[in-house]
Amino acid sequence: MTKDKHVLLVIASGTVLALGLTTGCGPAEKTASGPAPATAQPSTSAKGPVYAGLPDPGLQGRPVWARAISGAPRTVCPGPAEDTKTTATRCVLGDAVVLTEEVPGSGAGGEGEPQRFITRLLDAATGKQRAEYESVMSVVPSSGLRTGFNEGSSSPSAVGRWKDGSPALLIRSQPVPAGASAGQDSSSAVYTMYSPAGEKLGSSEVKNEHPLALPVVDGFVQLDEESEKLTYRPIGGGADIPVTRIPGGDQPIGPGFGHYAEKKDDHDGKGRYLAVIDRLTGKETWTTREMTPPPSVAAEGRSGKHADTELRPLSGNRAILLWHAQASDATVMTTVDLATGRRVADGPSIDLALTLTRTDDRTVVSPDGRTAVSQFGGKVVAWEPETGRELWRPQAGQDLRPMAQSPGGVLYAEQSPDTKGFNALTGAPLSPYREIPEFTSNGYGTVQDDGNLFVFRTAPSPAEGKS
């Protein structure tokens, strides 16, 4: 290890998840412009892991590199920064792969003995190391809880986004006061975020009753919530920001702090309309009160009454505004701009009574934003959000739930009782898949199989109409 290594002790209490950091360790030496590329080679030798799983419809046939992610030492992918309660993992960070490894023998001394971890940023194309960070996690004597790689706990690193929406690695650390024991509790934690290249984006200390349990949204730490506001602290410095809490606990729509929709009564006797509110300002940005419904909805609507509408997420600054005709079950999908309410395109119509719940909703969008496959109340349609053009629908009786899209145009879907790939442009069936890969920003995908991580090149677009 290099001499510029800095270790931050991490402590966890109760059900709190703990994360920590060191930099400049191993082959990725620091330079003035950030960590230099490492010389270590990926695990692709004859003794390395061999992929024996199913061919994936969105990936090319052979992995370009592989790495063991189980055994001793055990290695895992990080969890997401946005929600510390989930056990989901994220291997991919932009054009990098992130892995966290438990240092052999750490924590073996029992209560108060720290566990140590190494988080590595690896180049997705080659597997070469860009940077590594050492984390130390300890046991709080009062709780007797050991965190780390126990089932249901998160890893010491987390994948999230920076303030501009770009991917970022989050490290949470809890400093130990001078003279304190390794297991002493603390009411503060340091939140630091790094780019996929390993460059430091910002760092801030947060004091809180449970300082390591706080979600991070686009470079802001969410503090304790008040009655109507949530307080966010920017990582890297700056004043705290009060943000409107969404009634009912729904998730925001759109990037950053996002928007939410609220039904309001029109006092002119025209019924209810939809108001879209910016969470940062708490103000209405637009409503459907003055909007003209799509022609097919207007033709079947009740004279003098507002059409029924619902707002659903799409991608980026776009959202889906659903218009329901009162005289039938026809619902028209339209693309709108979240900031202004401008209707970008009128999309397909689905035969659906507007008694939707959010568990019925699912829209998966291609990485380039050009194609979307939407499910509402069990009805599925593929379409182009920017033009509104319908692409295809599942055949009659084909129970299909969209799950993800690859950069090469493969739709990953659940088709009871199987999982299968489809051509996202035509709906033509492709081969089954074992799990949905995570795709990097530079044309690679990761798959976990038999305790190993395999990295493949992304497959080109499937031939139109072929299975």
PDB file of all heavy atoms in Angstrom, residues 14 25 173 212 256 271 278 289 297 318 336 390 398 400 411 416 421 431 436 451 457:
ATOM      1  N   GLY A  14     -27.575  -0.376  15.946  1.00  0.00           N
ATOM      2  CA  GLY A  14     -28.926  -0.803  15.635  1.00  0.00           C
ATOM      3  C   GLY A  14     -28.984  -1.442  14.274  1.00  0.00           C
ATOM      4  O   GLY A  14     -28.205  -2.316  13.939  1.00  0.00           O
ATOM      5  N   CYS A  25      -4.650   3.385  -2.271  1.00  0.00           N
ATOM      6  CA  CYS A  25      -4.077   2.109  -1.868  1.00  0.00           C
ATOM      7  C   CYS A  25      -3.954   1.203  -3.071  1.00  0.00           C
ATOM      8  O   CYS A  25      -4.857   1.131  -3.884  1.00  0.00           O
ATOM      9  CB  CYS A  25      -4.974   1.459  -0.802  1.00  0.00           C
ATOM     10  SG  CYS A  25      -4.446  -0.176  -0.300  1.00  0.00           S
ATOM     11  N   SER A 173     -18.614   7.378   6.146  1.00  0.00           N
ATOM     12  CA  SER A 173     -17.629   7.013   7.156  1.00  0.00           C
ATOM     13  C   SER A 173     -17.940   7.711   8.468  1.00  0.00           C
ATOM     14  O   SER A 173     -18.486   8.814   8.481  1.00  0.00           O
ATOM     15  CB  SER A 173     -16.218   7.381   6.688  1.00  0.00           C
ATOM     16  OG  SER A 173     -16.115   8.778   6.502  1.00  0.00           O
ATOM     17  N   LEU A 212     -25.646   7.176   9.763  1.00  0.00           N
ATOM     18  CA  LEU A 212     -25.288   6.316   8.648  1.00  0.00           C
ATOM     19  C   LEU A 212     -26.492   5.722   7.943  1.00  0.00           C
ATOM     20  O   LEU A 212     -26.346   4.958   7.005  1.00  0.00           O
ATOM     21  CB  LEU A 212     -24.375   5.186   9.130  1.00  0.00           C
ATOM     22  CG  LEU A 212     -23.032   5.633   9.711  1.00  0.00           C
ATOM     23  CD1 LEU A 212     -22.309   4.462  10.326  1.00  0.00           C
ATOM     24  CD2 LEU A 212     -22.185   6.298   8.645  1.00  0.00           C
ATOM     25  N   GLY A 256     -33.521  14.592 -10.035  1.00  0.00           N
ATOM     26  CA  GLY A 256     -33.306  15.458  -8.885  1.00  0.00           C
ATOM     27  C   GLY A 256     -34.400  15.273  -7.841  1.00  0.00           C
ATOM     28  O   GLY A 256     -34.804  14.159  -7.531  1.00  0.00           O
ATOM     29  N   GLY A 271     -65.433  19.637 -12.313  1.00  0.00           N
ATOM     30  CA  GLY A 271     -64.849  18.406 -11.799  1.00  0.00           C
ATOM     31  C   GLY A 271     -63.413  18.599 -11.322  1.00  0.00           C
ATOM     32  O   GLY A 271     -63.010  19.721 -10.983  1.00  0.00           O
ATOM     33  N   ASP A 278     -43.664  21.214  -8.314  1.00  0.00           N
ATOM     34  CA  ASP A 278     -42.212  21.113  -8.207  1.00  0.00           C
ATOM     35  C   ASP A 278     -41.861  20.961  -6.733  1.00  0.00           C
ATOM     36  O   ASP A 278     -42.171  21.822  -5.911  1.00  0.00           O
ATOM     37  CB  ASP A 278     -41.570  22.371  -8.783  1.00  0.00           C
ATOM     38  CG  ASP A 278     -40.049  22.307  -8.821  1.00  0.00           C
ATOM     39  OD1 ASP A 278     -39.466  21.548  -8.018  1.00  0.00           O
ATOM     40  OD2 ASP A 278     -39.446  23.012  -9.641  1.00  0.00           O
ATOM     41  N   ARG A 289     -55.925  21.858 -16.163  1.00  0.00           N
ATOM     42  CA  ARG A 289     -57.178  22.633 -16.163  1.00  0.00           C
ATOM     43  C   ARG A 289     -57.435  23.319 -17.499  1.00  0.00           C
ATOM     44  O   ARG A 289     -58.556  23.359 -17.983  1.00  0.00           O
ATOM     45  CB  ARG A 289     -57.126  23.674 -15.041  1.00  0.00           C
ATOM     46  CG  ARG A 289     -58.447  24.374 -14.778  1.00  0.00           C
ATOM     47  CD  ARG A 289     -58.304  25.338 -13.619  1.00  0.00           C
ATOM     48  NE  ARG A 289     -59.579  25.969 -13.300  1.00  0.00           N
ATOM     49  CZ  ARG A 289     -59.716  26.925 -12.396  1.00  0.00           C
ATOM     50  NH1 ARG A 289     -58.652  27.339 -11.707  1.00  0.00           N
ATOM     51  NH2 ARG A 289     -60.902  27.452 -12.155  1.00  0.00           N
ATOM     52  N   VAL A 297     -60.208  11.483 -26.951  1.00  0.00           N
ATOM     53  CA  VAL A 297     -60.702  11.613 -25.588  1.00  0.00           C
ATOM     54  C   VAL A 297     -61.730  12.731 -25.506  1.00  0.00           C
ATOM     55  O   VAL A 297     -62.784  12.597 -24.873  1.00  0.00           O
ATOM     56  CB  VAL A 297     -59.539  11.875 -24.606  1.00  0.00           C
ATOM     57  CG1 VAL A 297     -60.067  12.165 -23.202  1.00  0.00           C
ATOM     58  CG2 VAL A 297     -58.595  10.685 -24.588  1.00  0.00           C
ATOM     59  N   ARG A 318     -39.127  13.916 -19.046  1.00  0.00           N
ATOM     60  CA  ARG A 318     -40.393  13.540 -19.671  1.00  0.00           C
ATOM     61  C   ARG A 318     -41.239  12.717 -18.702  1.00  0.00           C
ATOM     62  O   ARG A 318     -40.724  12.019 -17.839  1.00  0.00           O
ATOM     63  CB  ARG A 318     -40.150  12.744 -20.949  1.00  0.00           C
ATOM     64  CG  ARG A 318     -39.339  13.482 -22.015  1.00  0.00           C
ATOM     65  CD  ARG A 318     -40.179  14.544 -22.680  1.00  0.00           C
ATOM     66  NE  ARG A 318     -39.597  14.958 -23.945  1.00  0.00           N
ATOM     67  CZ  ARG A 318     -39.183  16.187 -24.190  1.00  0.00           C
ATOM     68  NH1 ARG A 318     -39.242  17.111 -23.245  1.00  0.00           N
ATOM     69  NH2 ARG A 318     -38.715  16.511 -25.382  1.00  0.00           N
ATOM     70  N   VAL A 336     -45.316  14.279 -22.030  1.00  0.00           N
ATOM     71  CA  VAL A 336     -45.317  15.683 -21.644  1.00  0.00           C
ATOM     72  C   VAL A 336     -43.962  16.066 -21.065  1.00  0.00           C
ATOM     73  O   VAL A 336     -43.224  15.218 -20.551  1.00  0.00           O
ATOM     74  CB  VAL A 336     -46.428  16.002 -20.621  1.00  0.00           C
ATOM     75  CG1 VAL A 336     -47.805  15.836 -21.234  1.00  0.00           C
ATOM     76  CG2 VAL A 336     -46.289  15.134 -19.377  1.00  0.00           C
ATOM     77  N   GLU A 390     -46.862   3.980 -32.266  1.00  0.00           N
ATOM     78  CA  GLU A 390     -46.934   2.648 -31.675  1.00  0.00           C
ATOM     79  C   GLU A 390     -46.046   1.696 -32.454  1.00  0.00           C
ATOM     80  O   GLU A 390     -46.022   1.714 -33.695  1.00  0.00           O
ATOM     81  CB  GLU A 390     -48.372   2.140 -31.679  1.00  0.00           C
ATOM     82  CG  GLU A 390     -48.528   0.761 -31.075  1.00  0.00           C
ATOM     83  CD  GLU A 390     -49.975   0.301 -31.006  1.00  0.00           C
ATOM     84  OE1 GLU A 390     -50.875   1.156 -30.822  1.00  0.00           O
ATOM     85  OE2 GLU A 390     -50.202  -0.923 -31.154  1.00  0.00           O
ATOM     86  N   GLN A 398     -50.918 -13.336 -24.534  1.00  0.00           N
ATOM     87  CA  GLN A 398     -49.505 -13.334 -24.177  1.00  0.00           C
ATOM     88  C   GLN A 398     -49.304 -12.462 -22.933  1.00  0.00           C
ATOM     89  O   GLN A 398     -49.300 -11.239 -23.009  1.00  0.00           O
ATOM     90  CB  GLN A 398     -48.656 -12.812 -25.340  1.00  0.00           C
ATOM     91  CG  GLN A 398     -47.159 -12.964 -25.143  1.00  0.00           C
ATOM     92  CD  GLN A 398     -46.384 -12.438 -26.338  1.00  0.00           C
ATOM     93  OE1 GLN A 398     -46.669 -11.355 -26.852  1.00  0.00           O
ATOM     94  NE2 GLN A 398     -45.399 -13.199 -26.782  1.00  0.00           N
ATOM     95  N   LEU A 400     -47.291 -10.659 -20.544  1.00  0.00           N
ATOM     96  CA  LEU A 400     -45.925 -10.159 -20.632  1.00  0.00           C
ATOM     97  C   LEU A 400     -45.750  -8.974 -19.690  1.00  0.00           C
ATOM     98  O   LEU A 400     -46.577  -8.056 -19.684  1.00  0.00           O
ATOM     99  CB  LEU A 400     -45.616  -9.768 -22.079  1.00  0.00           C
ATOM    100  CG  LEU A 400     -44.190  -9.378 -22.461  1.00  0.00           C
ATOM    101  CD1 LEU A 400     -43.936  -9.738 -23.920  1.00  0.00           C
ATOM    102  CD2 LEU A 400     -43.980  -7.876 -22.271  1.00  0.00           C
ATOM    103  N   LEU A 411     -35.597  -6.297 -25.275  1.00  0.00           N
ATOM    104  CA  LEU A 411     -36.506  -6.124 -24.154  1.00  0.00           C
ATOM    105  C   LEU A 411     -36.430  -7.363 -23.274  1.00  0.00           C
ATOM    106  O   LEU A 411     -36.653  -8.480 -23.749  1.00  0.00           O
ATOM    107  CB  LEU A 411     -37.944  -5.925 -24.636  1.00  0.00           C
ATOM    108  CG  LEU A 411     -39.026  -5.993 -23.545  1.00  0.00           C
ATOM    109  CD1 LEU A 411     -38.917  -4.801 -22.599  1.00  0.00           C
ATOM    110  CD2 LEU A 411     -40.410  -6.083 -24.164  1.00  0.00           C
ATOM    111  N   SER A 416     -45.028 -15.360 -17.853  1.00  0.00           N
ATOM    112  CA  SER A 416     -45.322 -16.476 -16.957  1.00  0.00           C
ATOM    113  C   SER A 416     -45.423 -17.804 -17.716  1.00  0.00           C
ATOM    114  O   SER A 416     -46.125 -17.889 -18.728  1.00  0.00           O
ATOM    115  CB  SER A 416     -46.636 -16.195 -16.220  1.00  0.00           C
ATOM    116  OG  SER A 416     -46.908 -17.226 -15.309  1.00  0.00           O
ATOM    117  N   GLY A 421     -36.333 -12.822 -23.731  1.00  0.00           N
ATOM    118  CA  GLY A 421     -35.996 -11.600 -24.424  1.00  0.00           C
ATOM    119  C   GLY A 421     -36.878 -11.401 -25.642  1.00  0.00           C
ATOM    120  O   GLY A 421     -37.361 -12.364 -26.251  1.00  0.00           O
ATOM    121  N   SER A 431     -34.160 -15.329 -27.277  1.00  0.00           N
ATOM    122  CA  SER A 431     -33.852 -16.440 -26.373  1.00  0.00           C
ATOM    123  C   SER A 431     -34.195 -16.084 -24.928  1.00  0.00           C
ATOM    124  O   SER A 431     -34.301 -14.912 -24.569  1.00  0.00           O
ATOM    125  CB  SER A 431     -32.367 -16.786 -26.487  1.00  0.00           C
ATOM    126  OG  SER A 431     -31.572 -15.676 -26.087  1.00  0.00           O
ATOM    127  N   ILE A 436     -31.286 -10.299 -15.569  1.00  0.00           N
ATOM    128  CA  ILE A 436     -31.149  -9.086 -16.366  1.00  0.00           C
ATOM    129  C   ILE A 436     -29.769  -8.492 -16.116  1.00  0.00           C
ATOM    130  O   ILE A 436     -29.417  -8.192 -14.972  1.00  0.00           O
ATOM    131  CB  ILE A 436     -32.233  -8.070 -16.004  1.00  0.00           C
ATOM    132  CG1 ILE A 436     -33.619  -8.666 -16.257  1.00  0.00           C
ATOM    133  CG2 ILE A 436     -32.053  -6.790 -16.802  1.00  0.00           C
ATOM    134  CD1 ILE A 436     -34.754  -7.810 -15.747  1.00  0.00           C
ATOM    135  N   GLY A 451     -21.435 -17.565  -8.379  1.00  0.00           N
ATOM    136  CA  GLY A 451     -20.500 -16.892  -7.499  1.00  0.00           C
ATOM    137  C   GLY A 451     -19.411 -16.114  -8.195  1.00  0.00           C
ATOM    138  O   GLY A 451     -18.397 -15.778  -7.581  1.00  0.00           O
ATOM    139  N   ARG A 457     -19.342  -7.843 -23.808  1.00  0.00           N
ATOM    140  CA  ARG A 457     -19.697  -6.752 -24.703  1.00  0.00           C
ATOM    141  C   ARG A 457     -21.198  -6.814 -24.970  1.00  0.00           C
ATOM    142  O   ARG A 457     -21.795  -7.887 -25.004  1.00  0.00           O
ATOM    143  CB  ARG A 457     -18.939  -6.854 -26.035  1.00  0.00           C
ATOM    144  CG  ARG A 457     -17.434  -6.703 -25.911  1.00  0.00           C
ATOM    145  CD  ARG A 457     -16.793  -6.708 -27.296  1.00  0.00           C
ATOM    146  NE  ARG A 457     -15.352  -6.817 -27.209  1.00  0.00           N
ATOM    147  CZ  ARG A 457     -14.532  -5.785 -27.014  1.00  0.00           C
ATOM    148  NH1 ARG A 457     -15.045  -4.566 -26.877  1.00  0.00           N
ATOM    149  NH2 ARG A 457     -13.236  -5.971 -26.940  1.00  0.00           N
TER     150      ARG A 457
END
